[in-house]
């Protein structure tokens, strides 16, 4: 085709020179009989383009401002029809044309949330931008077509649209574009397309963050380096020159020319208002981020962080991001788990002061659940967790904050303690005689990574301690602290938790000193001791709690303790409430009276009542409990039954129905007619309405009354206690895919809503305040928790391994442990670590000395030089090592051994 023919094909306008050849190609590739309307639309567009030229004054109401609105609509309509045609030969030139229009700046529009919703609900919308919205929406649907080339063309158009300052994309539509690219990454037609999708997602993030930082849509954005984006799991996707191809793909889109003239200034203000109002639903984790080679790096906090940390942004994180973490944790895709771990690390690093309750839920769910699985873990998943923990453990402030705000909080899990114990068990490996799915190499890898994390924890405590102590200062522990550490226990904690300080540190964080935290720890330990005693023997446990003033002595206070305290064995609670003794009977009456059953359906009332304990097995105990329940229900609902006896009999019948319907051992199930017949005449000789009984029957059969979960065995007591503490039993069933009872539609949504309500409830409590601490004495309690597991892990690894990497890590851990315990004046722990290092020098058995024993001697000397002023009695072990070392050196120089001086010559003996 000659140049003159090409010009006449698209008309004299610059935009026509792009549209004309593409429309002509669509006409040639399309099946005329099947898509006659598309052919007609293309010809009409060519006729319209031939009759117009570029406008001297751009038309702001036109999606292509250089053309009149009617000509622009006529030109874009065939592209929309072509994209919807489901024919790859027709779609390809349409995508190519749309990409050129966007990248060269011809296409100008504003796409926000309202327009997106309008486009989905009203296909005939007359707004000038609507045709562009519908085109991009059709482009997003192309991933279902099953053509690799079309997938690439789709991503090229979407990236160009986000990159172009002329296409103001925000709100739900931007999220829609991100989800489309992410779906390609998860299930692309080939590895190249998946790598391309990941690169496109990274480039989208850079564009959005760069615009938010500069407060402008016209910014310079760095291009991602595809090779640096690929992780270990992504390299399996690479197909030959995939990385080079994708890099060229990204470079082409990012280097595409185009300017939108004066039209951009006209639309910039409204677009930036959307960004400022938070309509861009991309989570910017820090106030300021830097972008380098496709990676988002931290920068020092600035004034921008104060805006990011506004209540509205925090609420968005809680409402959307935390919900997304909860939902996606149910997926078994390892890539998603890695993304969840990365997001969680960002939340923990930057927002732990305002997400205390959420951190307390997700840390056990995402990290501890995997870490504590020693026998049958997924290798990649556990390595992901160990790498994440290593990053966490390298931050001294995070480590201290976790201990202060979770391990010292009565209503929070012992995250720090469980992390240390989990790392300790992983470092020791599977117990002897147990079966494991790990190969020897994987087991050794886990052990080494766990030791690294333990070393990082001790190193972080040392760094934080040195930062808090001024140069030349010597920490002087109080007498109570010394006694508490040396005996590995805390004070009895009979005092109530004192009122918290009101000194604001950052956000909602408050200062707290070691003495206050010591009381909180002691109180928590006292409560846990009482719970343990109650679970063994309830009367003794209640007696202990009352004597130590953890619980008041009145039946009402004991009842509230049984109702609200987590970690109690539900079966033991039921046995205690059914006891016929005077005090337990009063407690049971107070317990039942604490429920409000007003306007509550009878079946739901029983379900609500039994959620906190398990009915005892003895009939007389059940009788006492259900009799009081019937009395309370009738008191709350006076017009429900003629007398409390009716409610009592019906309650028994409902419990029997629940057992009959949901017990797999029962073969002949009770029918609705049987249930109605069994309850005839129970209302003072009268029958209850059959519709009423039928509704109760249907509700119980479809939705089992779930009493509290079975109490766990001691081996997993701590884990399951945490699950009950945070209401995680149902969540973990949802997350881990455990078989559960048939639930009504929407039950998972109700469960998630229940957890969100728990987040709000915990955040509203005074104890949910986030505390900061600067008192070095808090480290004494942290060391008291971790020193024994660390000593065992370091000693066993150093004894069993000879490789340089493992032994150097263990000796480094010993070095930091001695430094921390020596400065804090923890004599028992200090001497234990020094003695262990001294033992591993093997100077008492020189013939067996290896390189690791030589390194241990170097560590002893380093300890003596750097921490000599704090060693005190531990000098004995160090001097003994030095003496033995000197003795070996003398022997090497030819000096006679000591025995030669003590031997008696034969002549003298005669």
């Amino acid at each position: 085709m000659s140049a003159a023919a090409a010009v006449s094909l698209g008309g004299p306008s610059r935009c026509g020179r792009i549209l004309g050849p593409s429309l002509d190609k669509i006409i040639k590739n399309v099946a005329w009989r099947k898509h006659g309307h598309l052919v007609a639309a293309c010809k009409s567009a060519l006729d319209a383009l031939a009759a117009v030229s570029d406008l001297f004054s751009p038309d702001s109401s036109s999606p292509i401002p250089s053309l009149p609105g009617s000509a622009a609509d006529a030109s874009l309509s065939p592209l929309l029809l072509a994209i919807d045609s489901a024919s790859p030969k027709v779609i390809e030139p349409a995508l190519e044309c749309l990409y050129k229009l966007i990248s060269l700046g011809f296409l100008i529009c504003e796409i926000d949330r309202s327009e997106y919703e309008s486009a989905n609900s009203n296909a005939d919308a007359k707004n000038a931008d609507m045709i562009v919205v519908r085109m991009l929406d059709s482009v997003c649907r192309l991933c279902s077509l099953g053509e690799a080339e079309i997938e690439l063309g789709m991503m090229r158009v979407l990236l160009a649209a986000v990159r172009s300052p002329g296409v103001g994309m925000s709100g739900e539509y931007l999220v829609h574009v991100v989800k489309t690219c992410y779906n390609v990454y998860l299930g692309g037609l080939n590895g190249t397309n998946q790598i391309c999708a990941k690169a496109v997602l990274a480039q989208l993030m850079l564009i959005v963050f760069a615009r938010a930082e500069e407060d402008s849509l016209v910014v310079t954005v760095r291009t991602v380096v595809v090779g640096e984006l690929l992780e270990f799991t992504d390299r399996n996707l690479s197909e030959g020159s995939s990385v080079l191809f994708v890099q060229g793909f990204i470079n082409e889109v990012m280097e595409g020319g185009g300017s939108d003239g004066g039209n951009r200034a006209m639309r910039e203000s409204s677009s930036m208002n959307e960004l400022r109002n938070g309509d861009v639903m991309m989570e910017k984790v820090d106030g300021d981020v830097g972008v380098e080679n496709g990676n988002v790096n931290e920068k020092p906090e600035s004034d921008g962080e104060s805006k990011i940390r506004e209540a509205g942004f925090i609420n968005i994180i809680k409402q959307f991001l935390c919900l997304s973490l909860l939902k996606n944790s149910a997926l078994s895709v390892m890539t998603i788990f890695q993304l969840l771990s990365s997001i969680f690390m960002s939340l923990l690093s930057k927002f732990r002061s305002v997400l205390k309750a959420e951190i307390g839920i997700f840390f056990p769910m995402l990290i501890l659940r995997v870490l504590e699985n020693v026998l049958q873990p997924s290798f990649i998943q556990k390595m992901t967790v160990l790498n994440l923990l290593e990053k966490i453990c390298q931050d001294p402030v995070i480590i201290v904050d976790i201990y202060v705000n979770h391990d010292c909080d009565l209503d929070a899990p012992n995250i720090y303690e469980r992390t240390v114990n989990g790392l300790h068990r992983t470092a020791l490996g599977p117990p002897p005689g147990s079966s494991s799915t790990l190969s020897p190499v994987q087991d050794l890898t886990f052990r080494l990574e766990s030791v690294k994390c333990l070393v990082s924890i001790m190193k972080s405590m040392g760094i934080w301690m040195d930062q808090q102590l001024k140069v030349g200062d010597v920490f002087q522990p109080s007498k109570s602290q010394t006694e508490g550490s040396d005996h590995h226990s805390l004070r009895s904690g009979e005092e109530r938790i004192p009122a918290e300080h009101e000194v604001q540190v950052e956000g909602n964080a408050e200062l707290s000193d070691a003495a206050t935290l010591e009381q909180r720890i002691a109180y928590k330990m006292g409560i846990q001791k009482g719970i343990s005693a109650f679970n063994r023997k309830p009367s003794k446990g209640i007696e202990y709690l009352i004597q130590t003033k953890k619980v008041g002595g009145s039946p009402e206070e004991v009842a509230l303790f049984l109702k609200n305290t987590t970690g109690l064995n539900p079966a033991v609670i039921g046995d205690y409430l059914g006891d016929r003794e005077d005090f337990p009977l009063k407690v049971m009456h107070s317990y039942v009276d604490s429920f409000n059953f007003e306007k509550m359906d009878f079946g739901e009332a029983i379900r609500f009542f039994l959620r906190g304990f398990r009915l005892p097995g003895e009939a007389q105990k059940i009788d006492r409990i259900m009799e009081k329940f019937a009395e309370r229900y009738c008191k709350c609902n006076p017009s429900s039954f003629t007398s409390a006896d009716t409610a009592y009999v019906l309650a028994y019948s409902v419990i029997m129905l629940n057992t009959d319907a949901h017990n797999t051992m029962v073969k002949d199930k009770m029918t609705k007619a049987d249930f109605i017949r069994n309850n005839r005449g129970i209302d003072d000789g009268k029958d209850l309405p059959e519709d009423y009984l039928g509704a109760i029957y249907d509700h119980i059969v479809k939705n089992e009354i779930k009493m509290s979960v079975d109490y766990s065995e001691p081996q997993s007591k701590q884990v399951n206690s945490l699950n009950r503490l945070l209401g995680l039993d149902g969540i973990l069933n949802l997350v881990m895919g455990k078989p559960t009872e048939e639930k009504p539609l929407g039950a998972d949504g109700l469960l998630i809503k229940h957890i969100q309500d728990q987040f709000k409830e915990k955040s509203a409590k005074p104890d949910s305040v986030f505390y900061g601490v600067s008192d070095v004495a808090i480290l004494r309690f942290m060391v008291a928790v971790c020193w024994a597991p660390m000593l065992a892990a370091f000693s066993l690894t150093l004894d069993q391994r000879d490789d340089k990497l493992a032994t150097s890590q263990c000796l480094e851990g010993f070095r930091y442990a001695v430094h921390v315990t020596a400065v804090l004046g923890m004599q028992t722990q200090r001497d234990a670590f020094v003695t262990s290092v001294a033992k591993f020098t093997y100077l008492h058995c020189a013939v067996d000395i290896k390189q690791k024993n030589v390194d241990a001697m170097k560590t002893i000397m380093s300890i003596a030089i750097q921490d000599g002023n704090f060693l005190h009695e531990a000098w004995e072990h160090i001097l003994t090592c030095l003496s033995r070392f000197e003795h070996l050196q003398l022997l090497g120089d030819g000096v006679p051994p000591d025995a030669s001086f003590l031997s008696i010559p034969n002549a003298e003996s005669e």
Side-chain angles (χ1 to χ4, degrees), residues 528-544:
Q528 291 176 340
K529 184 177 180 181
I531 291 173
S532 178
F534 178 87
N535 290 335
R536 290 193 302 270
K537 192 169 184 179
S539 58
K540 294 293 184 182
I542 295 297
E543 181 182 351
Y544 167 80

Side-chain angles (χ1 to χ4, degrees), residues 39 153 185 197 229 248 254 277 290 302 353 437 445 461 528 575 703 729 754 757 790 820 833 838 889:
V39 175
Y185 174 63
L229 287 175
M254 295 305 296
N277 292 335
S302 64
S353 62
T437 59
T445 304
M461 287 194 288
Q528 291 176 340
D575 284 333
N703 192 8
D729 293 292
H754 172 67
D757 293 339
M790 287 185 177
V820 172
F833 284 111
Q889 188 175 15

Side-chain angles (χ1 to χ4, degrees), residues 245-260:
F245 172 80
V246 175
Q247 189 66 66
F249 179 93
I250 297 295
N251 292 342
E252 177 191 354
V253 179
M254 295 305 296
E255 294 171 3
S259 174
D260 53 348

